[in-house]
Amino acid sequence: MNRFLPAPVRRLAALLVLIPSCLPAARAADAGFAHRAEVQSFIQQLVTHDKFDKAYLERLFDKAQPQPAVIAAMKRPAEALPWYKYRPIFLTEKRIREGVVFWKQHRAALERAQKAYGVPPQVVTAIIGVETFYGRRMGSYPVFDTLATLGFDYPPRADYFRRQLAQFLLLARQEGIDPLKPKGSYAGAMGQGQFMPGSYRHYAVDFDGNGERDLWNDPVDAIGSVANYLARHGWQAGGFVAVPARVKGKGYERLSSSVKPQLTPKMLAAAGVRPGRALPAEGRYALVGLQLRQDSEYWVTGRNFYVITRYNASALYAMAVYQLSEAIEQAYRHPAGAAEAAGKHAP
């Protein structure tokens, strides 16, 4: 570089030399998802197997915006908390009171869902309460952008989210939804019951018979869909969910830690587990331990508890739903008892 040029001019010239090397990266960042090789392959699969229009999909992916916040959220899920911190998020007087309000407002739909699917009103209400605070917090992330980000920029679960992205596009076509408009959770879950796209396609129902399966704006559809989901995953009407238990000695540590019921009452007894009430001898059960501040508490759980984990594969989640459902029912039957219900089984 000419040393006789003024210093400011020399600095500007040096910067201009560097600009060409930055241009490819800048163009790549501005190009959107559509120009990435793995996205082109994904698009081609949809064109080949599901008869999508390639130009239409490329326009969608060009408009998609990466969502770094969803990746950050995936790395700190609430289910990673210990039980004594997780429970107070959901077992609050307000959530119990609002659950009673929801039950009263939609009693006819909840009772009809129980007749159709065998799932009691308090359980359906509790799931909607845990998921979206009765439809008030359904998420603010663009679903298409979220699933594209997780499908192509989150390697730990990329395969799963690419499948959900494909399901979302199929759902949008099937239901006549603009893929760029729906909002949902940081994982791409949608509506009052927070259904992932595959679940929406396969388990959502038009429970009010108006010709639409609308889980965002129609609580009756949400109620029927949650009940149908649980029933299709094996919910047993009137079946056992969970009961507190005491443990004696260390024999229980040799039992399976799976929430899938596979333990007999004899196996539990031999391991020093004492349920709070007698269990049917023919049933199968699991033992769930929940972390307290200084110790742990234990529950014997059954088939219906396991079914709740099919909604969210977490024993913490299932226990929060179960305890909230019990608290809502108690407050529904005894209106002055929301505070007492919130404190029941508290760590």
Side-chain angles (χ1 to χ4, degrees):
M1 188 179 298
N2 193 331
R3 65 179 183 277
F4 298 108
L5 291 173
V9 176
R10 292 201 305 271
R11 287 195 293 271
L12 177 59
L15 288 173
L16 290 173
V17 170
L18 294 175
I19 286 175
S21 64
C22 301
L23 285 176
R27 290 195 188 104
D30 292 340
F33 282 96
H35 294 273
R36 293 165 56 169
E38 65 271 29
V39 176
Q40 281 293 320
S41 176
F42 178 80
I43 288 173
Q44 189 57 51
Q45 290 176 15
L46 289 172
V47 170
T48 302
H49 295 110
D50 299 297
K51 310 304 180 187
F52 277 95
D53 178 73
K54 184 176 182 180
Y56 166 72
L57 292 179
E58 288 181 338
R59 287 195 299 271
L60 285 180
F61 279 99
D62 264 334
K63 294 177 182 178
Q65 297 295 316
Q67 302 288 319
V70 307
I71 295 178
M74 290 295 292
K75 295 178 180 178
R76 44 178 170 78
E79 285 73 21
L81 295 172
W83 173 243
Y84 70 89
K85 290 185 178 180
Y86 185 87
R87 184 185 189 276
I89 298 173
F90 303 105
L91 271 291
T92 65
E93 289 185 48
K94 184 174 182 180
R95 203 177 296 256
I96 293 166
R97 285 197 304 269
E98 293 300 322
V100 172
V101 171
F102 183 89
W103 188 344
K104 289 180 177 178
Q105 287 177 338
H106 304 291
R107 183 174 63 183
L110 287 162
E111 289 177 353
R112 188 158 57 89
Q114 183 173 20
K115 289 179 181 178
Y117 303 111
V119 185
Q122 65 269 25
V123 172
V124 175
T125 299
I127 285 182
I128 295 174
V130 167
E131 292 290 349
T132 62
F133 204 90
Y134 313 105
R136 297 176 192 173
R137 303 171 186 168
M138 292 185 283
S140 59
Y141 296 97
V143 173
F144 183 74
D145 293 8
T146 294
L147 294 173
T149 298
L150 294 172
F152 297 104
D153 290 334
Y154 186 60
R157 299 186 66 191
D159 289 345
Y160 170 76
F161 284 109
R162 289 187 195 187
R163 291 196 299 271
Q164 291 301 319
L165 179 56
Q167 290 292 313
F168 176 67
L169 289 167
L170 289 165
L171 172 69
R173 184 172 69 180
Q174 182 179 353
E175 303 289 332
I177 299 170
D178 180 346
L180 298 177
K181 289 186 176 179
K183 301 289 182 66
S185 76
Y186 67 81
M190 301 174 290
Q192 297 187 30
Q194 292 291 275
F195 276 32
M196 292 299 291
S199 294
Y200 201 129
R201 287 194 69 216
H202 294 103
Y203 304 113
V205 296
D206 173 19
F207 203 51
D208 59 4
N210 69 351
E212 296 180 346
R213 300 186 300 171
D214 183 357
L215 302 190
W216 284 278
N217 305 302
D218 192 335
V220 174
D221 282 358
I223 286 166
S225 298
V226 169
N228 179 52
Y229 183 96
L230 295 176
R232 294 277 295 275
H233 283 80
W235 183 272
Q236 298 172 342
F240 174 73
V241 182
V243 65
R246 298 193 310 273
V247 297
K248 183 177 181 181
K250 296 293 184 179
Y252 71 93
E253 294 179 349
R254 296 192 295 271
L255 296 174
S256 168
S257 59
S258 172
V259 293
K260 188 171 184 179
Q262 49 193 330
L263 305 174
T264 65
K266 285 186 177 181
M267 294 168 68
L268 291 167
V273 179
R274 302 291 183 265
R277 68 171 185 266
L279 303 173
E282 68 277 7
R284 293 295 180 270
Y285 308 93
L287 181 67
V288 171
L290 301 171
Q291 183 182 346
L292 308 181
R293 289 184 182 275
Q294 304 295 334
D295 199 356
S296 296
E297 67 180 40
Y298 296 91
W299 291 71
V300 171
T301 62
R303 172 69 183 178
N304 284 350
F305 186 90
Y306 176 69
V307 170
I308 298 172
T309 68
R310 301 306 85 200
Y311 207 101
N312 181 322
S314 163
L316 298 183
Y317 174 86
M319 187 57 71
V321 166
Y322 172 65
Q323 291 193 12
L324 181 61
S325 74
E326 293 281 283
I328 290 171
E329 182 183 25
Q330 180 179 334
Y332 183 86
R333 310 293 182 196
H334 309 283
E340 179 184 351
K344 188 177 181 182
H345 303 308

